[in-house]
Amino acid sequence: MHRVSASDADAGRVLDSLMLPFDRGMLDWPASGVLCLRARPGVAMTGRRGLVCSQGFKPDADALEAAGFELDADPARRYEVVLVLPPRQRDEARALFAEAIARCAPGGRVVASVANNAGAKTAEGDLAAVAGGVSVESKYKCRVFWTAPLQGPADPALAAQWTAADTPRPIAGGRFLSRPGLFAWDRIDPASALLAQHLPADLAGDAADLGAGFGFLSAELLERCPAIRTLDVIEAEARALELARTNLERYQDRAELHFHWLDATRGLPGRYDVIVTNPPFHAGDRLDRPGLGRRFIDVAAAALRPRGRLWLVANRHLPYEDTFAAAFAQVRTVAFGGGFKVIEGVRA
């Protein structure tokens, strides 16, 4: 249940906009280094001297590392310029602005870029509120906005409030901790709940949860299936995986648990008797991306032992049946409900 990057075209425009003040000479690129929070790789980033990238989403982090960018390894380091690519979720984005200001050296600036159709004016207003005003340019269907030199937040109480709003909090009657920005962060996702409801008690052996989010399906699997021996909790979003570790601590005596910060589409770390998943299917442009779900099915099939079982939930309209039929000896639709479907595949 991890998030999915925006389309390459959209991401490229946002990066072009982010670099506009530097390319036009409105801001100087400091020789001492620049930090980019929620960084993504792209042509506009290439060749930027001293650029340090922070990214908790594994596919983007892998792409940045492969492109040769330095990854943020020193949270105490401060920068003259902190770039921000804010996420869509407003509480998470506000907390990221507060973090950006905290990572600025005295006299440093925060620079952010957002696509117009992704809440650019709202994000601009939020940064202005906490930083005391911003300068703005519009191009490439995006807005780039930046602060004056800062000596901390203009409104420290607001910055503290925004940081606190991103703190993990109890949901589902206190059963789980979650936080803004995660998939279905403030509730139990109804698709995952449907899958959990239909998990049979005879699932056994070595298991994996692909796109585990904050750990709901992993917890349900361990609750409902006492013969699960080991469980690999696999999640691409570091913020979610951190919470899954906490949420599953109570099950440490029921099974051997392993937590993996991984892009599941690139393959899995083991061989399994059982895999459960609610795969992602939306990109940043909110369009369906059924190819992601198909890739999850193919990767799962390759990692399952003979007679291994994949249990998947998806939106009812997504065309996964042909992919199941090509990868599994037995396929059945177990349940429909609330616009979702639960499918089981059994390996030959």
Side-chain angles (χ1 to χ4, degrees):
M1 296 190 293
H2 63 229
R3 68 187 178 88
V4 180
S5 289
S7 69
D8 290 343
D10 288 344
R13 284 193 292 269
V14 172
L15 289 174
D16 289 340
S17 172
L18 184 66
M19 296 303 172
L20 190 67
F22 305 100
D23 293 341
R24 289 186 171 178
M26 292 178 280
L27 294 176
D28 293 328
W29 187 271
S32 60
V34 171
L35 175 65
C36 185
L37 300 178
R38 280 293 186 183
R40 296 189 296 266
V43 173
M45 304 278 277
T46 304
R48 303 285 175 173
R49 183 181 68 256
L51 181 60
V52 178
C53 296
S54 175
Q55 176 55 260
F57 184 50
K58 186 63 169 171
D60 287 342
D62 286 345
L64 287 163
E65 190 170 25
F69 291 102
E70 179 184 350
L71 297 184
D72 183 26
D74 181 4
R77 184 178 173 187
R78 301 294 179 261
Y79 296 83
E80 291 183 55
V81 170
V82 178
L83 309 175
V84 185
L85 294 171
R88 281 182 177 269
Q89 209 285 332
R90 193 175 186 186
D91 286 336
E92 184 187 1
R94 284 174 159 179
L96 200 65
F97 285 143
E99 179 186 351
I101 293 172
R103 297 293 301 269
C104 280
R109 298 177 186 263
V110 174
V111 184
S113 176
V114 181
N116 290 341
N117 63 2
K121 292 192 74 172
T122 298
E124 175 196 325
D126 284 343
L127 182 57
V130 75
V134 293
S135 301
V136 186
E137 288 288 328
S138 296
K139 195 172 177 63
Y140 312 120
K141 299 181 180 179
C142 301
R143 296 171 81 87
V144 56
F145 38 97
W146 62 95
T147 69
L150 298 170
Q151 303 293 331
D155 189 335
L158 186 62
Q161 176 185 327
W162 288 358
T163 298
D166 187 46
T167 302
R169 69 193 72 175
I171 64 164
R175 186 181 175 199
F176 299 99
L177 291 178
S178 186
R179 68 193 304 181
L182 305 186
F183 173 74
W185 74 271
D186 58 350
R187 64 195 185 281
I188 302 302
D189 168 59
S192 295
L194 181 68
L195 175 55
Q197 177 186 342
H198 289 88
L199 290 174
D202 66 346
L203 295 176
D206 300 318
D209 179 359
L210 308 190
F214 57 75
F216 169 72
L217 275 178
S218 290
E220 290 292 304
L221 184 67
L222 294 168
E223 289 276 5
R224 296 166 183 265
C225 308
I228 294 296
R229 181 173 60 247
T230 70
L231 176 61
D232 280 0
V233 181
I234 297 168
E235 173 55 43
E237 179 54 62
R239 286 163 55 90
L241 188 65
E242 176 186 3
L243 290 173
R245 287 181 186 274
T246 301
N247 289 328
L248 297 174
E249 281 180 357
R250 74 194 77 165
Y251 300 103
Q252 293 283 358
D253 60 344
R254 297 198 189 183
E256 184 179 328
L257 304 182
H258 304 278
F259 297 86
H260 302 273
W261 184 44
L262 286 177
D263 175 4
T265 66
R266 300 180 67 177
L268 305 184
R271 300 280 287 171
Y272 306 100
D273 303 295
V274 177
I275 293 176
V276 297
T277 186
N278 178 358
F281 64 93
H282 275 156
D285 53 15
R286 306 296 178 91
L287 298 177
D288 285 358
R289 305 291 185 190
L292 288 165
R294 294 189 186 107
R295 181 60 185 158
F296 267 51
I297 296 167
D298 288 337
V299 166
L304 283 167
R305 297 185 176 115
R307 306 301 301 167
R309 300 158 75 179
L310 170 63
W311 282 73
L312 174 146
V313 67
N315 281 33
R316 188 168 181 166
H317 71 278
L318 291 173
Y320 291 155
E321 284 75 9
D322 288 349
T323 307
F324 263 94
F328 292 91
Q330 300 173 38
V331 180
R332 67 186 181 109
T333 301
V334 177
F336 293 104
F340 306 106
K341 58 188 173 185
V342 175
I343 305 175
E344 181 195 29
V346 182
R347 288 286 284 164

